Amino acid sequence: MDFAMSAKAQDYHNRLTEFMVEHVFPAEAEYHRYREEKGPKDHTVPPVVEELKKIAKERGLWNLFLPSISGLSNLEYAHLAELTGWSLEIAPEATNCQAPDTGNMETLHLFANEEQRKQWLEPLLNGEIRSAFAMTEPAVASSDARNIETTMYRDGDDYVINGRKWWITGAADPRCKILIVMGRTNPEASAHRQQSMILVPTDTPGVDIQRSLPVFGWQDQHGHCEIVFDNVRVPAENLLHEEGAGFEIAQARLGPGRIHHCMRAIGAAERALALMIDRVQTRVAFGKPLAEQGMVQEAIAKSRNELEQARLLCHKAAWTIDQLGNRAKESQVLVAQIKSVAPQMACNVIDRAIQVHGGAGVCDDFPLARMYGWHRAMRLFDGPDEVHLRTIARAELGKEKSPLAAAAVKRQS
């Protein structure tokens, strides 16, 4: 395994770093000023983001996440996604590499027909619209997708959808024009063939976006929404792939999405560590800089260790996907590993940074509180830690013992 950046990735890395330093970081103050002036219930995009998108396009820093478009491998993209994680609210969208649109674009790329791609994928790839993915429900434990109760029944040339979803990221943004909805089309089928996915335009009658849910009291610009589908009728040709393919599509969609989140989490943790180091070198307590306090040094050292460990695991997962494909068992287990490691690591590092900042760490003068809220939530979305840990444990328990292990654990007669 070789995780070093290729010449191509290094070139992108240099150009993206320059873009971050010259344009993204300076835009953060304007972004937050706009949001504060508009208030938490306003989900329009700050104009500075659209300005950044134009610059990114001009510099060829666009749609980097999709190998068929960018030509980048997952490992090459990992180095770049990490950079965007340094400014999580702005940089991913500025380069059209933001969730949930990346997962939705991959889904449409893999499973949509030509007409569906033209209508929805092309404007998403151009950054003209936004999208959302509607799977999670408030009434059931949606970490087991077999529980999903939303119904999608065929009625002539249409499907009629009824149900309630929540935590539907992006749906509050007025640019969100399309939802990918998962629901039950055939309750009599086998467990993993009951669910399907269908495309639902947000302006379809019966689609009621009721509210945007705050995370630790903070409203995301794009919203995390609760949506009611009340006798929503869409043409049968809006079905993705085929009836009963919901689980197949979900696995293809969530694998890359999970590792992309982890790549960005590493970048966010790097920013938290940078803020921590700057803070402790400029603050004095008990007669000497915080940087000379043993407990502070321990916090810095642990953060660096955890960051490097997570990065190596993330790169191994990306490399394995490149070698074997996203659906290979080895890839799925490694994605489960990094998804259960990276968010916790980011929370650890950000929490230490908050601690050394004191009261400043929990207010909005620094980005740490918002960063912590997002990454704590990341331990739940795209599968909670417990689900991924179960996947890892089952893989370990199902392994055939190596000759070395068999000999080492052989019981004495």
Side-chain angles (χ1 to χ4, degrees):
M1 297 181 188
D2 183 359
F3 300 155
M5 273 191 280
S6 65
K8 182 178 184 179
Q10 185 66 66
D11 174 61
Y12 271 107
H13 195 275
N14 293 343
R15 289 188 285 125
L16 184 55
T17 299
E18 186 178 80
F19 175 65
M20 295 286 294
V21 171
E22 294 182 358
H23 298 282
V24 174
F25 292 142
E28 289 181 338
E30 184 177 343
Y31 176 92
H32 290 293
R33 184 165 52 249
Y34 179 92
R35 295 218 57 213
E36 288 170 7
E37 290 173 354
K38 290 292 185 178
K41 293 185 178 180
D42 187 288
H43 295 281
T44 57
V45 63
V48 70
V49 175
E50 295 296 344
E51 295 169 13
L52 290 171
K53 287 165 66 174
K54 292 177 184 177
I55 298 170
K57 274 187 178 181
E58 291 168 359
R59 298 189 174 198
L61 301 171
W62 193 255
N63 290 331
L64 303 174
F65 72 97
L66 196 59
S68 62
I69 300 293
S70 68
L72 294 166
S73 68
N74 285 282
L75 179 58
E76 288 172 324
Y77 178 61
H79 296 280
L80 308 178
E82 179 180 326
L83 289 179
T84 66
W86 279 72
S87 186
L88 197 57
E89 293 164 300
I90 300 178
E93 181 168 10
T95 55
N96 213 42
C97 295
Q98 71 284 349
D101 296 297
T102 51
N104 292 340
M105 286 186 270
E106 286 171 316
T107 297
L108 292 168
H109 174 72
L110 290 171
F111 297 102
N113 60 38
E114 195 59 40
E115 185 175 340
Q116 291 167 343
R117 290 193 191 100
K118 185 173 182 179
Q119 185 175 6
W120 302 115
L121 179 57
E122 289 184 13
L124 281 168
L125 288 170
N126 292 332
E128 298 165 358
I129 64 171
R130 293 289 307 257
S131 63
F133 182 69
M135 186 178 81
T136 304
E137 298 181 1
V140 297
S142 301
S143 55
D144 181 355
R146 294 172 299 181
N147 291 334
I148 288 173
E149 294 178 343
T150 293
T151 58
M152 303 193 309
Y153 292 141
R154 182 73 179 258
D155 181 27
D157 293 332
D158 298 330
Y159 279 93
V160 179
I161 307 167
N162 283 283
R164 181 183 292 269
K165 303 285 188 180
W166 74 341
W167 294 112
I168 310 308
T169 298
D173 193 316
R175 299 168 298 162
C176 182
K177 302 301 181 185
I178 189 67
L179 308 171
I180 298 178
V181 182
M182 185 168 180
R184 182 174 281 114
T185 46
N186 184 1
E188 306 303 320
S190 60
H192 289 87
R193 293 292 297 176
Q194 293 182 10
Q195 308 283 347
S196 301
M197 289 195 191
I198 199 163
L199 297 168
V200 180
T202 53
D203 60 359
T204 305
V207 176
D208 181 9
I209 300 175
Q210 295 195 327
R211 59 172 176 153
S212 174
L213 297 149
V215 177
F216 292 111
W218 180 72
Q219 277 284 358
D220 182 76
Q221 185 252 302
H222 312 291
H224 305 293
C225 295
E226 184 169 4
I227 305 177
V228 170
F229 297 86
D230 183 12
N231 288 317
V232 174
R233 186 176 288 268
V234 295
E237 56 261 30
N238 284 24
L239 190 73
L240 275 177
H241 194 29
E242 62 185 14
E243 268 202 18
F247 277 86
E248 176 189 355
I249 298 171
Q251 287 304 309
R253 180 191 185 281
L254 290 172
R258 285 166 177 155
I259 195 171
H260 293 168
H261 277 307
C262 295
M263 294 168 183
R264 291 188 290 265
I266 292 166
E270 284 285 6
R271 181 171 187 173
L273 181 55
L275 287 166
M276 189 193 320
I277 290 170
D278 181 72
R279 184 74 170 184
V280 302
Q281 290 177 331
T282 57
R283 303 287 283 190
V284 175
F286 305 105
K288 59 182 179 181
L290 288 177
E292 295 180 17
Q293 308 282 354
M295 294 186 70
V296 171
Q297 291 178 350
E298 181 181 357
I300 292 170
K302 283 184 175 180
S303 297
R304 174 50 63 199
N305 286 348
E306 292 171 15
L307 257 164
E308 295 301 332
Q309 290 164 353
R311 179 181 288 111
L312 285 170
L313 182 57
C314 187
H315 287 183
K316 181 180 180 181
W319 181 89
T320 303
I321 291 172
D322 289 333
Q323 301 301 312
L324 303 178
N326 178 52
R327 301 188 195 186
K329 183 177 180 180
E330 295 92 331
S331 301
Q332 292 175 351
V333 173
L334 280 163
V335 169
Q337 286 183 260
I338 190 55
K339 181 58 175 63
S340 60
V341 166
Q344 180 65 72
M345 177 278 297
C347 284
N348 292 346
V349 177
I350 296 166
D351 186 67
R352 294 181 191 124
I354 290 172
Q355 195 71 12
V356 302
H357 278 74
V362 296
C363 74
D364 287 343
D365 286 1
F366 291 87
L368 294 166
R370 291 193 304 273
M371 289 166 63
Y372 184 86
W374 173 260
H375 290 90
R376 182 59 186 84
M378 191 177 159
R379 293 184 57 200
L380 294 168
F381 63 70
D382 280 4
D385 289 356
E386 291 78 5
V387 169
H388 296 300
L389 292 170
R390 184 183 68 164
T391 297
I392 299 161
R394 285 180 169 179
E396 287 297 309
L397 292 168
K399 281 181 181 177
E400 183 178 347
K401 288 186 178 70
S402 68
L404 190 65
V409 301
K410 186 177 182 181
R411 296 177 181 177
Q412 299 296 319
S413 56

